[in-house]
Amino acid sequence: VDEMNDYYDVRIKEANLRRLRGMCPDKQRLAIYKGDICNEDFMLALFEKERPQWVCHMAARAGVRPSIQDPYVYIHSNIRGTTHLMELSHKFGVKNFVFASSSSVYGGSKKTFFSEDENVDNPVSPYAASKKACELLAYTYHHLYQLNVTGLRFFTVYGPRGRPDMAPFKFIDRVSRGIEIQQFGDGSSSRDYTYIDDIVDGVVRAIDRPYPYEVFNLGKGDGTSLKEFISIVENHVGCKAIKNILPDQPGDVPYTCADVSKAYDLLGYQATVPFEEGIRRTVQWYQNEYAKNICIEPGTQTSGMASALSYAEITRAVRA
């Protein structure tokens, strides 16, 4: 189920769905619905028709900075949407409900590794607050209805076919096209960037291993500084970045790093893709697939830099 909103270019989402359908043409095994998870009539009809036994709830309005500008849509999509799905799940006897939380719930934690045992009652953005609220509601639904619920705190997911508003895609795209990237702060901020294959492995493990109520970190378990991140992108793209140094942004946290020992012990989860290898794979996808088949016209880039040539246009010009 996906409402296919225009938070980023819908053509990227459509290309992802075409790929998914190509991998699984059997419509009995894979049914794709377009709609809003907050639409009560739509979702009730879907549950009555499909009778799901497991729910993997990844739908959400994402983004820390946009949530500060428009918090209401995060209340709608994240809190109301998750509550609606849990309400349907308990009524229809779902065996396991797994949903996406976020490392953003840790706020400005000073700990070296963020642990699930840490107090996370002080979120620093509406997005983080909405994810924390979902975790609280999840426990409530487990307590009231014995619904098995697992929340997964993702740590900065990236990789091929990822969101274009995320730093890995934006940096690869802009460095490839020779246009400016924005570096917030002095480059010392650090993130636990987690490759998509590792995240998917963790999600599947959580679905296959029901617990009454648990929250798990899913991350790589070590951080990469912004300076090192940009250097790795430059190396694999083969171009130097043009950097615009800006102040730190409100709502951003200076450091994220997951303690994944609980996920290792209870799910058997362990990330296997180093950050540099993940960036190499993402650059390869960008150059061989995105730039040739999906590439957004400059006027619709999320960067707003409409005057810049697309990577595909640059490549054609060089070859000519």
Side-chain angles (χ1 to χ4, degrees):
V1 179
D2 196 319
E3 70 171 340
M4 301 292 284
N5 64 46
D6 61 355
Y7 177 76
Y8 60 87
D9 196 283
V10 174
R11 286 170 294 179
I12 297 176
K13 302 181 181 185
E14 291 171 343
N16 289 341
L17 286 178
R18 285 194 299 271
R19 178 182 175 84
L20 184 61
R21 176 57 73 199
M23 295 173 67
C24 183
D26 184 352
K27 294 187 178 181
Q28 293 299 314
R29 186 180 177 199
L30 172 65
I32 298 173
Y33 294 89
K34 181 180 179 181
D36 185 351
I37 60 171
C38 293
N39 185 318
E40 295 181 13
D41 292 338
F42 167 70
M43 290 305 300
L44 177 60
L46 188 152
F47 266 71
E48 287 178 336
K49 178 183 178 182
E50 298 291 348
R51 299 281 167 172
Q53 296 183 54
W54 295 269
V55 171
C56 179
H57 169 39
M58 302 287 112
R61 179 61 68 133
V64 169
R65 294 169 197 158
S67 77
I68 297 171
Q69 302 300 319
D70 183 10
Y72 301 105
V73 71
Y74 289 77
I75 305 301
H76 171 83
S77 296
N78 298 358
I79 299 177
R80 183 182 172 192
T82 300
T83 304
H84 187 209
L85 288 181
M86 289 192 293
E87 183 71 12
L88 288 168
S89 294
H90 94 78
K91 288 179 177 178
F92 281 81
V94 165
K95 295 179 180 179
N96 194 17
F97 185 95
V98 175
F99 72 98
S101 185
S102 170
S103 62
S104 296
V105 300
Y106 289 106
S109 173
K110 305 301 182 186
K111 299 288 182 65
T112 302
F113 291 94
F114 296 174
S115 167
E116 297 91 341
D117 294 331
E118 192 171 336
N119 183 297
V120 290
D121 291 340
N122 299 288
V124 296
S125 70
Y127 170 69
S130 74
K131 288 298 189 178
K132 171 62 176 177
C134 290
E135 293 183 358
L136 293 172
L137 284 161
Y139 179 80
T140 302
Y141 271 83
H142 161 66
H143 174 76
L144 291 175
Y145 308 112
Q146 293 73 56
L147 179 66
N148 292 327
V149 187
T150 293
L152 302 174
R153 294 175 178 171
F154 296 156
F155 279 70
T156 317
V157 186
Y158 74 100
R161 290 168 287 280
R163 279 169 34 210
D165 63 314
M166 296 290 284
F169 182 98
K170 287 200 293 188
F171 285 3
I172 290 169
D173 178 50
R174 296 180 190 184
V175 173
S176 296
R177 297 196 288 143
I179 59 176
E180 181 183 277
I181 64 171
Q182 296 175 331
Q183 176 183 307
F184 295 101
D186 62 4
S188 64
S189 63
S190 177
R191 294 285 181 275
D192 189 343
Y193 296 99
T194 317
Y195 191 67
I196 182 61
D197 289 16
D198 288 326
I199 291 292
V200 170
D201 176 67
V203 171
V204 172
R205 288 175 180 275
I207 294 169
D208 289 344
R209 295 163 176 78
Y211 285 99
Y213 173 81
E214 291 290 352
V215 172
F216 295 104
N217 289 336
L218 291 188
K220 188 166 80 283
D222 61 79
T224 303
S225 72
L226 182 56
K227 283 182 179 178
E228 183 182 359
F229 175 13
I230 293 171
S231 176
I232 290 171
V233 170
E234 290 174 328
N235 180 50
H236 288 285
V237 169
C239 303
K240 293 293 289 183
I242 303 169
K243 291 180 282 189
N244 180 18
I245 311 299
L246 299 171
D248 290 318
Q249 290 290 283
D252 277 356
V253 296
Y255 178 88
T256 68
C257 191
D259 176 349
V260 293
S261 57
K262 181 180 176 182
Y264 178 80
D265 291 340
L266 298 184
L267 300 178
Y269 167 82
Q270 187 171 26
T272 61
V273 181
F275 183 62
E276 181 152 2
E277 170 60 16
I279 289 295
R280 186 195 68 78
R281 295 183 192 180
T282 307
V283 170
Q284 185 178 53
W285 164 81
Y286 177 90
Q287 295 176 344
N288 295 336
E289 184 175 334
Y290 176 82
K292 294 178 181 177
N293 303 314
I294 310 170
C295 198
I296 306 169
E297 287 86 354
T300 58
Q301 283 284 347
T302 55
S303 66
M305 298 181 180
S307 61
L309 293 173
S310 72
Y311 179 82
E313 289 171 324
I314 293 170
T315 303
R316 286 195 294 270
V318 169
R319 287 173 179 169

